[in-house]
Amino acid sequence: MLQGVLSRAPATESPAAAAMKTKRAPASPDEEEEGERRPARGKRQQLLGLGSAAAAAAAAEGPETRGLWLLSLLLRCAEAVAMDQLTEARELLPEIAELASPFGSSPERVAAYFGDALCARVLSSYLGAYSPLALRPLAAAQSRRVASAFQAYNALSPLVKFSHFTANQAILQALDGEDRLHVIDLDIMQGLQWPGLFHILASRPRKPRSLRITGLGASLDVLEATGRRLADFAASLGLPFEFHPIEGKIGHVADAAALLGPRHRQQQQDEATVVHWMHHCLYDVTGSDLGTVRLLRSLRPKLITIVEQDLGHSGDFLGRFVEALHYYSALFDALGDGAGAAAAESAERHAVERQLLGAEIRNIVAVGGPKRTGEVRVERWGDELRRAGFGPVSLAGSPATQARLLLGMYPWKGYTLVEEEACLKLGWKDLSLLTASAWEPTDAAAAATPRRGSQET
């Protein structure tokens, strides 16, 4: 519901409204009866003018009015934080907590996690210190909870599968005819993506002579467990497989040789290397974005696949907050449709929202901008890769076909797929959530001209 409320007003030139320049969900019949739409700033000012008496009335009238009031409280608190009016922000937090619930309706659940994040932000502002963005490795128990939540997310939503299927198809196309393969996964986690790739490689008439994965991550124990699972699966398919774990962040790796390993030096003439990264906001993956760009330029892999969240992390706090509220309201709406009424599915949805989405919201709201690691971060990796000497590879064809088939497997119809400038964008009710893209060195990309424009399917 909050996503529907946020989508009513078109963007204006104000900083907060600029963060909302994305495609909007179709208006409901009730919204269409409102007549002309108000600018985003005007809508926000209207909400901020509600008093405490209106709050009580709003909470009693119904879920939509309750959602409107929750939205107004969140925006009032965010504006107070942005203006450093911490006393006012602190006074609004108990009312948000009273109306919100991580077990309630979609707007109540969204408000619960944004309220917690605002509380952490207010506390950090009082202390005058901001914790870095999860630079320390996750504890073993927390890693297991995150892994379990990702598996539930994979079952409830097509977003994870979209990331995996699209990247795998692009990799298979790029590696066609190659028999020595090396995949570098910048944040491998549990390696859920790669069994699908293994299965297709094993089904080909000529299996690869060599298959290696270099996986980066924060915990060597988790990496080694992932390597064992992948090795067992590859052995069951008769694939030769090696796994090379690297505990650390790609931006902190000093030399590309550490990623390529000694085997590459021995057979560098005929081993094809690809790099993959599925972007998220759970923790800082790269360590140093500038270091990551330098290393990718040095590696010059045959292909880079990236799946990015369509969510900005730069700009002022209020603009970042409004954009994040819009984005995660759409994700919570989508999960609400994807999870059924059964207790098990509701528990899975809660685990996804608490362990994954809630943690991302906290990282975006409670910790912002350069304070995450002490340096300015890359806003759009596609633009940065162009400057680093890479060109886009069109994902039309097999990757787009696989993505359409994937969406057809889900009974709810809110998801959209758009082909735009060689990329694939997966959205919910026309709000883009993820962008998948593939990149190759420009000397190889010069002969190919990617599809321009956009086409909705």
Side-chain angles (χ1 to χ4, degrees):
M1 179 186 295
L2 286 179
Q3 191 236 352
V5 172
L6 282 165
S7 66
R8 291 183 184 183
T12 71
E13 293 305 311
S14 68
M20 300 168 60
K21 288 184 177 178
T22 51
K23 294 183 179 179
R24 289 164 174 78
S28 68
D30 291 337
E31 292 168 351
E32 292 174 351
E33 290 175 3
E34 289 181 1
E36 63 180 22
R37 296 179 175 182
R38 299 176 178 86
R41 182 71 182 176
K43 170 63 71 179
R44 203 164 61 247
Q45 292 299 334
Q46 178 193 15
L47 291 170
L48 298 181
L50 294 175
S52 58
E61 283 187 15
E64 182 171 355
T65 308
R66 185 185 183 93
L68 281 166
W69 179 243
L70 270 169
L71 173 61
S72 76
L73 289 173
L74 290 170
L75 292 174
R76 286 170 61 190
C77 189
E79 288 206 341
V81 170
M83 294 184 292
D84 205 30
Q85 297 176 354
L86 300 182
T87 300
E88 180 183 347
R90 185 189 61 193
E91 291 172 351
L92 290 167
L93 290 172
E95 192 168 358
I96 295 172
E98 182 179 351
L99 295 175
S101 168
F103 301 98
S105 63
S106 176
E108 290 169 352
R109 301 197 314 273
V110 173
Y113 292 106
F114 272 90
D116 287 345
L118 283 168
C119 183
R121 177 77 181 204
V122 169
L123 179 60
S124 296
S125 299
Y126 270 120
L127 296 176
Y130 298 83
S131 299
L133 178 58
L135 294 178
R136 296 177 301 172
L138 296 176
Q142 177 65 5
S143 294
R144 287 193 293 270
R145 288 193 292 268
V146 169
S148 177
F150 258 110
Q151 291 174 351
Y153 201 14
N154 194 34
L156 294 174
S157 166
L159 270 71
V160 177
K161 288 189 177 74
F162 167 80
S163 303
H164 294 174
F165 286 12
T166 304
N168 281 350
Q169 286 299 316
I171 291 170
L172 288 167
Q173 288 183 176
L175 298 182
D176 188 30
E178 303 281 357
D179 63 358
R180 294 187 183 276
L181 317 177
H182 182 202
V183 176
I184 301 174
D185 190 332
L186 303 190
D187 184 33
I188 194 167
M189 303 180 91
Q190 284 71 42
L192 298 178
Q193 172 170 348
W194 304 119
L197 181 69
F198 290 2
H199 204 281
I200 298 175
L201 290 173
S203 67
R204 287 182 167 179
R206 191 178 75 173
K207 294 182 180 180
R209 293 162 55 194
S210 169
L211 174 59
R212 295 196 299 140
I213 289 183
T214 296
L216 285 85
S219 168
L220 187 59
D221 290 341
V222 173
L223 289 170
E224 290 176 342
T226 296
R228 288 192 294 270
R229 286 193 299 270
L230 292 177
D232 291 343
F233 189 80
S236 71
L237 298 174
L239 290 174
F241 177 72
E242 295 180 24
F243 183 77
H244 180 212
I246 296 181
E247 186 178 29
K249 302 176 185 298
I250 181 68
H252 296 160
V253 176
D255 186 358
L259 295 174
L260 295 174
R263 283 281 306 277
H264 182 82
R265 288 193 291 272
Q266 298 168 8
Q267 55 192 37
Q268 58 184 350
Q269 298 301 319
D270 60 354
E271 184 178 60
T273 299
V274 300
V275 173
H276 173 71
W277 178 24
M278 179 179 168
H279 180 272
H280 57 74
C281 297
L282 279 174
Y283 45 79
D284 174 34
V285 171
T286 63
S288 167
D289 286 357
L290 296 179
T292 300
V293 173
R294 284 195 297 268
L295 200 65
L296 291 176
R297 187 186 295 116
S298 174
L299 279 171
R300 288 191 67 79
K302 186 168 186 178
L303 188 76
I304 300 173
T305 56
I306 296 181
V307 181
E308 297 180 83
Q309 294 173 308
D310 283 319
L311 179 63
H313 303 290
S314 62
D316 60 40
F317 170 78
L318 186 58
R320 221 168 41 244
F321 181 90
V322 172
E323 184 176 5
L325 183 58
H326 197 183
Y327 183 88
Y328 285 97
S329 293
L331 281 179
F332 276 67
D333 283 345
L335 274 179
D337 279 8
E345 291 185 335
S346 295
E348 288 181 342
R349 184 191 66 195
H350 175 69
V352 171
E353 292 174 350
R354 177 177 175 81
Q355 300 297 336
L356 304 181
L357 305 186
E360 291 192 337
I361 290 168
R362 187 182 181 94
N363 285 337
I364 292 169
V365 174
V367 183
K371 291 187 178 67
R372 291 168 178 263
T373 59
E375 67 169 52
V376 176
R377 309 314 300 260
V378 169
E379 181 70 12
R380 290 285 180 255
W381 278 94
D383 297 338
E384 197 65 30
L385 288 174
R386 279 189 174 92
R387 288 190 286 269
F390 293 88
V393 178
S394 177
L395 294 181
S398 181
T401 299
Q402 289 293 322
R404 293 188 195 98
L405 291 174
L406 171 65
L407 294 185
M409 296 166 54
Y410 288 81
W412 48 98
K413 303 302 180 184
Y415 288 101
T416 59
L417 181 67
V418 175
E419 295 178 33
E420 183 177 301
E421 295 186 348
C423 302
L424 288 179
K425 291 180 172 287
L426 180 65
W428 174 255
K429 297 181 179 177
D430 293 330
L431 176 68
S432 183
L433 299 175
L434 294 178
T435 295
S437 61
W439 304 83
E440 63 184 359
T442 50
D443 54 0
T449 302
R451 179 181 300 188
R452 311 298 291 180
S454 63
Q455 175 184 353
E456 186 166 347
T457 58

